[in-house]
Amino acid sequence: MGLIKEAVLLACLAAVAMASEEGNSTGINCEDGLIVPLWPGTDHMSMGDRFGRGLLYGTLMIYLFIGVAIVSDKFMESIEMITAQEKEVQIKDPRTGKTQAVVVKVWNETVANLTLMALGSSAPEIMLSVIEIWAKDFKAGDLGPGTIVGSAAFNLFMIIGLCQYVIPDDEVRKIKHLRVFFVTATWSVFAYIWLYVILGPISYGVVESWEGILTFLFFPMTVYTAFVADRRMFFYKYFDKKYRAQRGVIVQSEKGDIEARASEKFREFEDLEDMDPALAEFERNRREYINAMKRIRLENPNISLIDLETKAREEVMSKGPKSRAYYRAQATRKLAGKEDAKKAMSKALAAEAEAEKAAEEAMKAEGLKAEEKKDDNVCRIMFDPPHYTVMESVGTFEVTVIREGGDMNTTVQVDYKTEDGTASSQGDYIEAVGTLTFGPGETQKMITLEVLDDDVFEDDEHFYIRISNLRRKDGKPIAEINVEGDDGAVTKQPAIQLGTPHMATIMILDDDHGGIFGFEETEAEIVESVGVFELKVQRISGARGKVAVSYSTEDGTAKAGTHYEEAEGELMFENEETEKIIELPIIDEESYEKSLIMYVNLGEPRQIAEGKEGEGVDYSALDAKDPETLTEEEKVALLGRPCLGTNGRIQIRIRESKEFKNSVDKMMKKANNSMMVGSSSWLEQFTEAFVVQADDEDEEEEGEGEGDGEEKMPSCGDYIMHFLTLPWKLIFAFIPPTGMLDGYPTFIISILFIGANTAVIGDVAGHLGCFINLKDSVNAIAFVALGTSVPDTFASKTAAIEDETADASVGNVTGSNAVNVFLGIGIAWSMAAIYWESQGLTFDVPVGSLGFSVTVFCIEALLAIAILLARRSPAVGGELGGPKAMKTFTAGIFVFFWVFYVMLSSLEAYKVIDIGAQ
């Protein structure tokens, strides 16, 4: 950074020295601005006056940049609100053929990045270019175009260079949407080549209306081609990995074979590529919520449902790369002393959870009242429970009939009788018929039933038992009472009634089958700190005889001895035993991130014939017989042989210990564009403007290892920044809140505020150049572009560190650079060209400094993009980070590109480099 400051200072000193000799030479703006008039007395100023006025205007310009950054926070909040909108669509699932309703985002991510978010980060440069044309009576100026080119240079060289360096040593960040990056990078370079072409070869020094309009039309073309690349439309489908694999061109995906085989979840996500993009996005979100809730439940089995949902929402919302708008708004929030978006989101979710708990308590209270009201003084007799499941060998068992509510002092009788279902009283159970008598105060009676056992394998069966003929024991009629219904109507009903259910179902599970053995699920997820994981093996559809089942562990990406202890053995199920546990010791490595897979396999069950009656069949003796000589009983017995079920193999994913991960880095979370919490009212905005927030970074650093304690009080520096920015926060509190009409009013009004602030910046920047004899072209690339790009710098730095990919920090830079030209130059020059052509004149644009600056930038931009692509080689592995020596070297090259660009452009502007002859 010292080298940068020194180079810029030398360039500025040289500019001042040479400009002072020329006086008010061409390129130095000493005219009244659109809003701010020029300070009188510029003709004969002393060096002291120039220095004083320059210092004052420089300070004012910095303060105006802070204002633009703060209003950009509201602008970005509106963009977050707009792009987070969802809609419900009906989509056909190609796997099942069924149509289902899914909720998807209205805005495509790529389109949002290149339109709203790129416009948000580039709004000051675009507005400055348009306003300058208007302020100069539709004549070309140097400040607007120079700021656009200078900002592009700073973004591409300085911001990406900084992002390369701040990544921790040996970590890398790689662009995920490479197709989109290729498209936007191509357009970003083409934009400046096109700028040079319309200034030079086509019509030297003259911009015609069709050139300006075509420049603007390149903007929707950029968005559309990036959208095509993102959705793999048209010819892009031929670059798809699956397509190429099918055609025999590529037989291996970008992931390694081992990882692709082991990571079942990743393979599932690749299957989503065949789906409709909206359905695929819905399915990804659904799985994220399922995984989050399962993981949280494993960590806290006793967590309430509301807290579980709140934590899962917070985790999913904090997951995945954050949007460009989020990082830009975060940078300006810190500058303005506003609350961190993540903390605001957590508070909002916590408040919502408390509201849900209060509502639930209220519903419980109402439910109790409803139950009290439901006690209508009617006595009811019913089964409780209404369903029973028993083994065939159970012999006798009891079912329960209860009496509740109303008058308990009356002696009543009720008849009961069994009824056949698939089970028959002829050979499966003993028919039961009788009468139950409830004496005064008696609330429960038992009915004894008996199931018949045999040694023949058969399907599971069921039968019923019903109560009927309710009556008083003394033979008197049952009295009637008034009963109020749910609709308020009052009717007369018997004081004693048969309740619901008055019939019970008894399911008889055949135990003559040796059993079907397997795991409950086909996959499980555990944390490495679990110690010993108890894996349950079930025996269903029969439990006859003693059966041995072998088991063994198998390596996936998890290795025995390193991540878990190898286990192998045999489970012995005794007669009628239905469950066994395999103990798997897991090794806790205290990893920061872990997602490893191991497997447990079951062998074929083996019947142990002990010769005891009723404890199994000697299948070895039956196998030795000739199949033709087997009796029907023996054939049926063979059908009851124990066997392995469909879940004979389980995949176990070993995750990192959440406690250790959180203690290492609480801030390493990912967020999506629904994380930003906006405002809901003007009162909230004005109240928030007066609130002083502590610096979140300091708070996190001091809070590590101390747990969740009291919030840190604001420091002296926080108060200073608060009072410095308070006027801006109060002014921008008049912008409509983001909760109004999905954020669209906020979007429109905030961009008007940005335009007004930018108009003042343009005037002040021009006056600053006048007082220190600094040409607009140099002022634009050295100071104005730097000021408009500072929030983007902090945003990209944070995105580079926190995101798992380089898309938000690198990929969006190229898109913003293209948008700068197509909107900033396209709109401004189209206006001017149409204006002059309507009067029969031409719109003249001096080629010299701007053409030279664009040429230097294009050459360096091509080199920079080539370096980024070269960094994707295995030696580095990604656009950002890598080995310390490599990232320092490439970051130094990018910084040199910017310094060299500023130096050459400044020297050319002051004719130290003379290109007039060219």
Side-chain angles (χ1 to χ4, degrees):
M1 294 300 292
L3 178 61
I4 301 170
K5 292 179 179 179
E6 184 178 348
V8 173
L9 181 59
L10 288 175
C12 293
L13 289 176
V16 171
M18 289 180 286
S20 62
E21 297 176 359
E22 298 178 5
N24 293 330
S25 58
T26 303
I28 298 178
N29 184 6
C30 288
E31 300 175 354
D32 287 339
L34 179 65
I35 297 176
V36 181
L38 183 66
W39 193 340
T42 59
D43 295 335
H44 303 287
M45 287 189 296
S46 64
M47 289 299 295
D49 287 340
R50 289 184 180 277
F51 176 79
R53 293 188 184 186
L55 181 61
L56 176 62
Y57 273 75
T59 304
L60 178 59
M61 193 161 67
I62 292 174
Y63 194 66
L64 289 168
F65 281 135
I66 293 175
V68 171
I70 294 174
V71 71
S72 293
D73 175 30
K74 294 297 298 181
F75 190 49
M76 291 299 178
E77 282 184 7
S78 70
I79 291 174
E80 287 281 271
M81 182 67 69
I82 292 171
T83 56
Q85 293 177 34
E86 297 176 332
K87 63 180 179 180
E88 184 176 290
V89 296
Q90 299 290 331
I91 294 177
K92 185 176 182 180
D93 191 334
R95 299 172 302 180
T96 62
K98 297 181 179 179
T99 300
Q100 60 176 313
V102 299
V103 177
V104 299
K105 288 187 177 180
V106 174
W107 283 81
N108 174 268
E109 180 183 356
T110 298
V111 174
N113 282 338
L114 287 176
T115 53
L116 296 179
M117 294 183 188
L119 178 62
S121 61
S122 304
E125 295 94 326
I126 296 171
M127 298 295 287
L128 182 61
S129 178
V130 175
I131 291 171
E132 184 187 36
I133 285 288
W134 184 274
K136 289 183 174 293
D137 296 326
F138 296 100
K139 294 179 182 178
D142 293 328
L143 197 61
T147 300
I148 287 178
V149 181
S151 177
F154 188 89
N155 291 346
L156 186 59
F157 304 141
M158 286 299 295
I159 291 181
I160 294 182
L162 176 65
C163 292
Q164 288 176 355
Y165 187 77
V166 296
I167 304 298
D169 293 346
D170 297 323
E171 290 188 19
V172 293
R173 304 288 187 268
K174 196 173 184 179
I175 293 177
K176 178 182 179 181
H177 300 100
L178 192 58
R179 299 182 307 276
V180 177
F181 171 73
F182 279 143
V183 172
T184 56
T186 301
W187 277 110
S188 68
V189 175
F190 169 79
Y192 294 92
I193 294 175
W194 171 252
L195 187 58
Y196 175 80
V197 169
I198 62 177
L199 286 175
I202 295 180
S203 54
Y204 188 84
V206 176
V207 175
E208 299 175 359
S209 58
W210 72 267
E211 295 173 333
I213 295 172
L214 183 58
T215 302
F216 172 77
L217 292 178
F218 283 141
F219 168 67
M221 292 171 63
T222 302
V223 175
Y224 182 71
T225 52
F227 176 73
V228 168
D230 179 55
R231 296 290 294 269
R232 295 192 178 112
M233 298 166 63
F234 305 133
F235 63 89
Y236 275 99
K237 71 177 182 179
Y238 299 107
F239 293 96
D240 182 71
K241 290 178 290 183
K242 288 187 176 182
Y243 182 90
R244 292 181 292 176
Q246 292 171 358
R247 291 291 185 267
V249 179
I250 292 181
V251 295
Q252 184 176 359
S253 67
E254 292 179 0
K255 299 179 181 178
D257 281 343
I258 295 178
E259 182 181 0
R261 288 196 303 268
S263 301
E264 191 72 23
K265 185 180 295 184
F266 294 152
R267 188 160 59 244
E268 290 175 1
F269 271 78
E270 287 178 357
D271 291 342
L272 297 180
E273 294 179 2
D274 294 333
M275 295 185 184
D276 183 282
L279 179 60
E281 184 67 23
F282 172 81
E283 190 69 14
R284 289 188 186 96
N285 293 335
R286 185 184 69 83
R287 293 176 184 178
E288 286 178 1
Y289 274 104
I290 291 173
N291 289 337
M293 295 184 75
K294 287 173 64 178
R295 182 163 54 252
I296 293 169
R297 178 68 79 183
L298 286 173
E299 294 172 359
N300 188 0
N302 299 320
I303 190 172
S304 68
L305 180 60
I306 292 177
D307 288 337
L308 176 63
E309 292 175 350
T310 301
K311 288 183 177 294
R313 283 182 60 194
E314 184 173 355
E315 181 175 317
V316 173
M317 289 170 68
S318 300
K319 193 178 181 181
K322 306 179 185 75
S323 69
R324 181 74 173 179
Y326 169 83
Y327 286 118
R328 175 67 183 261
Q330 279 292 81
T332 55
R333 281 182 172 222
K334 292 181 180 180
L335 177 66
K338 295 179 67 176
E339 187 174 39
D340 177 80
K342 183 179 181 299
K343 291 175 62 178
M345 181 200 69
S346 298
K347 288 181 179 180
L349 290 179
E352 187 177 334
E354 290 300 323
E356 289 183 7
K357 289 179 181 178
E360 188 178 73
E361 292 297 327
M363 289 181 63
K364 286 182 179 178
E366 291 180 3
L368 290 175
K369 291 181 181 179
E371 287 182 5
E372 292 174 1
K373 184 178 179 181
K374 189 177 179 180
D375 187 3
D376 48 12
N377 294 321
V378 175
C379 177
R380 291 180 172 83
I381 298 177
M382 69 195 81
F383 285 101
D384 184 22
H387 189 90
Y388 295 84
T389 301
V390 297
M391 300 295 291
E392 188 182 54
S393 59
V394 70
T396 60
F397 65 98
E398 294 181 329
V399 297
T400 306
V401 181
I402 63 171
R403 177 170 72 165
E404 64 177 21
D407 181 13
M408 293 287 185
N409 297 320
T410 303
T411 301
V412 296
Q413 293 180 324
V414 64
D415 297 335
Y416 65 87
K417 186 177 185 301
T418 55
E419 299 177 5
D420 287 352
T422 54
S424 171
S425 60
Q426 300 298 319
D428 297 316
Y429 69 94
I430 301 297
E431 183 181 22
V433 180
T435 301
L436 298 176
T437 301
F438 286 86
E442 284 188 305
T443 59
Q444 179 175 297
K445 286 292 184 178
M446 312 301 292
I447 302 174
T448 301
L449 301 177
E450 183 177 357
V451 174
L452 300 177
D453 192 12
D454 58 38
D455 293 328
V456 178
F457 168 64
E458 55 192 350
D459 293 333
D460 297 338
E461 299 172 319
H462 67 275
F463 68 97
Y464 309 101
I465 182 170
R466 186 189 302 272
I467 55 175
S468 62
N469 193 23
L470 179 64
R471 61 194 181 276
R472 289 179 56 152
K473 185 177 180 181
D474 57 12
K476 294 181 179 180
I478 297 176
E480 292 186 339
I481 60 174
N482 294 326
V483 177
E484 182 179 351
D486 294 336
D487 57 356
V490 178
T491 59
K492 285 189 173 293
Q493 296 184 18
I496 305 174
Q497 304 176 10
L498 288 179
T500 302
H502 52 269
M503 184 176 70
T505 303
I506 294 87
M507 177 69 69
I508 304 173
L509 299 183
D510 181 68
D511 60 356
D512 296 310
H513 193 287
I516 299 175
F517 297 82
F519 300 107
E520 290 181 288
E521 303 289 344
T522 57
E523 60 181 45
E525 186 171 296
I526 61 176
V527 294
E528 62 179 357
S529 58
V530 70
V532 176
F533 176 53
E534 294 185 346
L535 181 60
K536 184 187 297 185
V537 180
Q538 291 183 321
R539 182 187 197 181
I540 60 176
S541 297
R544 175 59 60 90
K546 186 174 183 180
V547 178
V549 181
S550 62
Y551 66 89
S552 62
T553 56
E554 177 187 340
D555 285 353
T557 50
K559 305 301 179 184
T562 302
H563 306 114
Y564 70 94
E565 294 182 11
E566 185 176 10
E568 187 175 0
E570 194 171 58
L571 302 175
M572 195 65 66
F573 287 79
E574 300 296 333
N575 184 45
E576 296 190 358
E577 189 175 13
T578 59
E579 186 177 290
K580 282 288 187 180
I581 297 295
I582 300 175
E583 293 187 348
L584 301 175
I586 306 299
I587 300 174
D588 188 357
E589 300 178 295
E590 291 192 332
S591 303
Y592 177 73
E593 287 186 345
K594 176 183 283 188
S595 180
L596 303 175
I597 290 176
M598 62 173 291
Y599 302 93
V600 179
N601 301 310
L602 296 179
E604 284 295 332
R606 181 170 52 87
Q607 184 85 46
I608 307 297
E610 296 186 342
K612 297 179 182 180
E613 185 179 356
E615 289 194 7
V617 179
D618 186 358
Y619 289 103
S620 59
L622 294 179
D623 288 337
K625 287 186 176 182
D626 185 350
E628 299 295 333
T629 63
L630 292 175
T631 64
E632 285 300 320
E633 291 77 8
E634 289 174 333
K635 290 179 180 179
V636 172
L638 283 176
L639 294 176
R641 183 197 298 269
C643 62
L644 195 63
T646 57
N647 294 350
R649 174 183 172 91
I650 187 171
Q651 170 190 285
I652 301 175
R653 186 181 297 275
I654 306 174
R655 293 286 192 182
E656 71 279 354
S657 168
K658 293 300 174 186
E659 293 80 8
F660 176 77
K661 182 179 178 65
N662 291 338
S663 66
V664 171
D665 191 355
K666 295 180 180 178
M667 294 299 291
M668 285 297 293
K669 294 184 181 293
K670 304 177 274 281
N672 61 12
N673 61 358
S674 61
M675 186 174 178
M676 188 78 68
V677 177
S679 54
S680 58
S681 67
W682 270 289
L683 176 61
E684 180 183 342
Q685 292 183 164
F686 279 101
T687 303
E688 187 182 73
F690 286 99
V691 176
V692 185
Q693 296 289 342
D695 185 9
D696 298 301
E697 289 186 353
D698 294 340
E699 183 179 352
E700 289 294 337
E701 289 174 3
E702 294 186 9
E704 284 185 10
E706 297 179 4
D708 295 331
E710 296 182 358
E711 288 191 8
K712 179 186 172 186
M713 295 299 294
S715 64
C716 180
D718 295 326
Y719 279 105
I720 291 174
M721 287 304 302
H722 168 70
F723 286 111
L724 282 176
T725 58
L726 181 60
W728 289 124
K729 291 191 285 187
L730 289 175
I731 292 173
F732 300 139
F734 285 98
I735 297 174
T738 53
M740 181 183 295
L741 299 177
D742 296 327
Y744 285 101
T746 312
F747 179 86
I748 296 171
I749 302 301
S750 59
I751 202 170
L752 294 178
F753 273 81
I754 292 175
N757 207 340
T758 303
V760 178
I761 288 177
D763 291 348
V764 172
H767 300 342
L768 173 64
C770 177
F771 295 137
I772 65 175
N773 285 326
L774 184 65
K775 288 190 174 185
D776 278 353
S777 60
V778 179
N779 191 5
I781 63 173
F783 295 107
V784 181
L786 181 64
T788 58
S789 299
V790 166
D792 281 324
T793 304
F794 291 110
S796 293
K797 173 179 173 289
T798 306
I801 295 174
E802 293 188 9
D803 271 6
E804 293 181 346
T805 68
D807 292 77
S809 51
V810 175
N812 287 329
V813 167
T814 55
S816 297
N817 286 351
V819 171
N820 277 350
V821 173
F822 297 146
L823 289 184
I825 298 294
I827 295 175
W829 286 4
S830 294
M831 290 168 46
I834 294 173
Y835 173 81
W836 290 112
E837 288 181 10
S838 66
Q839 301 185 34
L841 301 174
T842 59
F843 175 49
D844 299 328
V845 180
V847 178
S849 298
L850 181 59
F852 180 81
S853 178
V854 168
T855 302
V856 174
F857 171 75
C858 287
I859 294 172
E860 291 186 344
L862 290 172
L863 293 174
I865 293 174
I867 292 173
L868 287 177
L869 295 178
R871 283 177 54 90
R872 292 180 66 90
S873 67
V876 181
E879 287 78 7
L880 305 180
K884 185 172 184 178
M886 179 58 70
K887 73 176 185 179
T888 303
F889 175 70
T890 55
I893 293 177
F894 275 68
V895 172
F896 169 76
F897 280 160
W898 185 74
V899 174
F900 189 66
Y901 163 77
V902 172
M903 182 181 67
L904 286 183
S905 298
S906 301
L907 293 176
E908 190 281 330
Y910 287 98
K911 305 306 178 184
V912 176
I913 299 177
D914 188 6
I915 60 170
Q918 297 179 2

